[in-house]
Amino acid sequence: MPNYGKPISWKIDENGCWICTSHKPSSAGYPQTNKGPIHRLIKPPPKGMVTRHLCGNRLCINPNHLEIGTYKQNTADMIEHGTKRFGELHHNCKITEEIARDIKYGPGTYKEKMEKYNVSRHIVKSIRRGNSWKHI
């Protein structure tokens, strides 16, 4: 395995996943180096593509469990594995499900919701149109 600063170490679990033990996961759940997520360094994706975890384990760095694919394939993988993070579980989430429900279903104008929850017009519009928080 290439050297990315601090040596990378792992333990092998019962599924053959190499669970990274040397680097802490980012807020998105992937072991991270100062050069990026380790799985992307092991199998660097070309522009417009991603490195997929066929095993569904974000901590896995086993090259045999990694494959280059499209964003659509990666999303399908996450749904299949039950690892797709949405709503409050998403690492970029700024509001709670309760707030999202109020924005979507509660009375009030865009401006009132923006001021009440200190969010942008884009967030309110996206929730009300069903582009985000689709599951509520």
Side-chain angles (χ1 to χ4, degrees), residues 84-99:
K84 180 157 176 50
R85 293 181 176 181
F86 54 89
E88 292 181 58
L89 298 176
H90 192 274
H91 65 280
N92 282 336
C93 182
K94 304 284 190 267
I95 62 173
T96 64
E97 185 168 322
E98 182 180 349
I99 291 171

Side-chain angles (χ1 to χ4, degrees), residues 8 29-33 36-45 50-53 57-62 66-68 74:
I8 298 171
Y30 300 101
Q32 189 87 9
T33 72
I38 294 174
H39 67 282
R40 288 190 203 151
L41 301 174
I42 293 169
K43 286 220 177 164
V50 295
T51 304
R52 301 162 54 202
H53 281 85
N57 188 336
R58 294 172 193 254
L59 299 176
C60 181
I61 58 171
N62 182 341
L66 303 174
E67 184 175 290
I68 303 302
N74 196 41

Side-chain angles (χ1 to χ4, degrees), residues 28-124:
Y30 300 101
Q32 189 87 9
T33 72
N34 60 353
K35 298 192 186 295
I38 294 174
H39 67 282
R40 288 190 203 151
L41 301 174
I42 293 169
K43 286 220 177 164
K47 187 175 181 180
M49 304 288 275
V50 295
T51 304
R52 301 162 54 202
H53 281 85
L54 300 178
C55 57
N57 188 336
R58 294 172 193 254
L59 299 176
C60 181
I61 58 171
N62 182 341
N64 295 323
H65 291 190
L66 303 174
E67 184 175 290
I68 303 302
T70 65
Y71 285 96
K72 188 174 182 177
Q73 289 172 316
N74 196 41
T75 300
D77 292 343
M78 290 187 289
I79 291 168
E80 180 183 333
H81 296 129
T83 58
K84 180 157 176 50
R85 293 181 176 181
F86 54 89
E88 292 181 58
L89 298 176
H90 192 274
H91 65 280
N92 282 336
C93 182
K94 304 284 190 267
I95 62 173
T96 64
E97 185 168 322
E98 182 180 349
I99 291 171
R101 284 186 186 281
D102 183 54
I103 290 172
K104 187 167 186 172
Y105 302 113
T109 65
Y110 278 41
K111 185 174 183 181
E112 289 169 341
K113 297 297 181 179
M114 289 165 50
E115 290 173 357
K116 181 176 180 180
Y117 297 115
N118 192 29
V119 295
S120 69
R121 180 173 180 82
H122 173 76
I123 289 174
V124 174

Side-chain angles (χ1 to χ4, degrees), residues 2-17:
N3 184 358
Y4 300 112
K6 178 180 173 182
I8 298 171
S9 59
W10 61 88
K11 64 179 181 176
I12 300 174
D13 74 6
E14 65 279 357
N15 299 315
C17 291

